[in-house]
Amino acid sequence: MPPILTFSSPAPSRARFRVAASAVVGAPGHSPNDFPSFLPRAVESIRDGAAIRLAKRIERVPVQTGFSTIPILSSCVRPFNRQQSSDPVVLLHGFDSSCLEWRYTYPLLEDAGLEAWAVDVLGWGFSNLETRPPCDTMSKREHLYQFWRSYIKRPMTLVGSSLGAAVAIDFAVNHPEAVSKLIFIGASVYAEGTRDMTGVPKFVPYAGAFVLKSLPLRVLATHLTFYKTPDEFFESVQIGRLHCLLPWWEDATVHFMITGGYNVVNQINQQKCLVLWGEDDGIISNKEAFRLQQELPSAILRQVNQCGHIPHLEKPREAVRHMLEFLQSDNPKKAERASSLSSNFR
């Protein structure tokens, strides 16, 4: 699920959504034993083929940080093949979500020959947080940096969905050597975070976390992100809520909430970026897309017609087409190849 009222996806019509998803999905039978053992048991009830396949690829890798005495076993999806012909693409999900948010987009990026990584932001997703490390913005930034330094090791295109865009901006400002380009999808970058709640009685934020985890709120939030509700709606709710079933989710989420969250309004800079937005975003108005474009003269704005808050879930093929065209736009030969590849996603 995405930002604090920035949750996932949409679809033009139910038939169109099924076509877009099934092109990547197709749901074969599966054995529960094929899933990583650290995923919640509820993963066994999922029938979305794309989610099943990506869930089976999730792994935990050790990341040593300065705020934890032991490495954090951090969840991610790694590419099958590393390649040096272009920068790696690193996908960051939105608020209170996981790498499964990229279930339709990730395989399309791989099919296009890109080195794609889907990384769980510290505090969400499926990392092992049994030691309850801090999950404030600075910890999230250091964790991502140490992940990059240990495993990616070269400049990357950082893709941020919803609040993931704020994560990406914060990271790029502090570690510009690690980022070559930015892609924002339904960017939540103008909210000024929550106020510092460290002095608030603990039961207050924990009550908020309880509501955030509840099925009624998840159903409402997911509904708001769709342009038109697909037949697979409740499956999306289940997938978006899966990481909340881990025992440390509440503590990690509360720590993020009480420490103020992200405020990157004054950090938006001139780095080359793609701003991708659903025209019918019911969570964050597309007026903010135009504001972002005005503040970033080098930005390229692309809107997805009849689409809600998270195009990479509702219209993954169109989202990937725009991403490919942007990634290759500064190289005529690659741009020609990208145009050919992106035609497959129309």
Side-chain angles (χ1 to χ4, degrees):
M1 212 165 75
I4 299 178
L5 272 200
T6 297
F7 305 79
S8 356
S9 69
S13 75
R14 295 185 177 184
R16 172 76 176 275
F17 182 88
R18 284 194 295 270
V19 170
S22 62
V24 192
V25 183
H30 64 286
S31 164
N33 295 331
D34 291 335
F35 291 107
S37 60
F38 55 79
L39 293 183
R41 288 287 301 274
V43 72
E44 298 169 12
S45 66
I46 291 174
R47 293 294 175 268
D48 182 314
I52 290 169
R53 284 191 287 277
L54 201 62
K56 289 179 179 180
R57 287 183 60 178
I58 297 173
E59 58 183 296
R60 284 175 172 172
V61 297
V63 175
Q64 183 65 66
T65 67
F67 56 81
S68 176
T69 56
I70 60 174
I72 296 172
L73 294 177
S74 306
S75 48
C76 65
V77 178
R78 292 202 275 188
F80 285 132
N81 298 306
R82 304 290 299 271
Q83 49 95 2
Q84 301 295 324
S85 60
S86 60
D87 293 341
V89 176
V90 177
L91 308 170
L92 300 177
H93 58 74
F95 172 80
D96 193 25
S97 186
S98 76
C99 57
L100 290 177
E101 185 178 305
W102 302 101
R103 56 191 176 274
Y104 302 144
T105 308
Y106 190 93
L108 292 175
L109 293 172
E110 281 198 324
D111 287 348
L114 297 180
E115 179 184 318
W117 299 70
V119 179
D120 279 336
V121 176
L122 180 71
W124 301 309
F126 304 102
S127 299
N128 184 347
L129 306 181
E130 189 171 3
T131 60
R132 304 305 194 270
C135 293
D136 53 68
T137 58
M138 288 188 293
S139 300
K140 291 179 191 297
R141 181 199 311 145
E142 183 185 344
H143 175 264
L144 180 57
Y145 175 70
Q146 296 301 341
F147 181 96
W148 171 81
R149 194 172 161 213
S150 298
Y151 299 101
I152 301 175
K153 302 178 181 179
R154 66 190 204 275
M156 58 185 169
T157 295
L158 202 51
V159 183
S161 160
S162 201
L163 191 69
V167 178
I169 288 175
D170 175 77
F171 183 87
V173 166
N174 287 278
H175 300 291
E177 74 282 4
V179 181
S180 57
K181 293 179 181 177
L182 290 165
I183 297 177
F184 304 139
I185 305 178
S188 176
V189 296
Y190 290 114
E192 297 186 10
T194 61
R195 65 185 178 89
D196 188 325
M197 299 170 59
T198 50
V200 173
K202 282 291 182 70
F203 75 86
V204 176
Y206 275 95
F210 176 81
V211 174
L212 183 62
K213 181 180 179 178
S214 67
L215 268 175
L217 183 64
R218 293 274 165 168
V219 168
L220 173 62
T222 305
H223 175 74
L224 290 173
T225 63
F226 283 86
Y227 171 64
K228 287 188 178 178
T229 306
D231 291 340
E232 301 84 355
F233 173 77
F234 195 69
E235 183 86 333
S236 294
V237 175
Q238 290 178 303
I239 295 167
R241 187 173 177 266
L242 192 63
H243 66 284
C244 299
L245 305 179
L246 292 173
W248 41 78
W249 172 83
E250 288 180 344
D251 293 333
T253 298
V254 165
H255 189 261
F256 173 72
M257 291 166 61
I258 67 175
T259 52
Y262 280 94
N263 183 349
V264 298
V265 174
N266 297 320
Q267 293 181 303
I268 297 171
N269 60 26
Q270 303 301 310
Q271 194 156 9
K272 184 174 182 181
C273 68
L274 169 67
V275 177
L276 187 61
W277 221 279
E279 279 190 351
D280 302 281
D281 191 331
I283 300 295
I284 303 178
S285 169
N286 67 355
K287 290 180 181 178
E288 295 201 2
F290 294 105
R291 177 182 173 184
L292 194 56
Q293 184 188 33
Q294 288 177 345
E295 294 187 17
L296 296 168
S298 61
I300 297 170
L301 174 62
R302 295 288 181 266
Q303 295 203 74
V304 181
N305 185 43
Q306 294 186 318
C307 184
H309 183 55
I310 303 188
H312 55 283
L313 270 176
E314 184 168 7
K315 291 191 173 180
R317 301 182 76 82
E318 189 169 345
V320 168
R321 175 168 60 84
H322 289 307
M323 292 168 68
L324 288 176
E325 290 172 352
F326 168 73
L327 290 173
Q328 311 295 0
S329 60
D330 55 355
N331 185 314
K333 287 189 176 180
K334 287 185 176 181
E336 185 177 344
R337 180 173 180 271
S339 178
S340 173
L341 282 172
S342 64
S343 65
N344 296 327
F345 300 129
R346 294 183 187 276

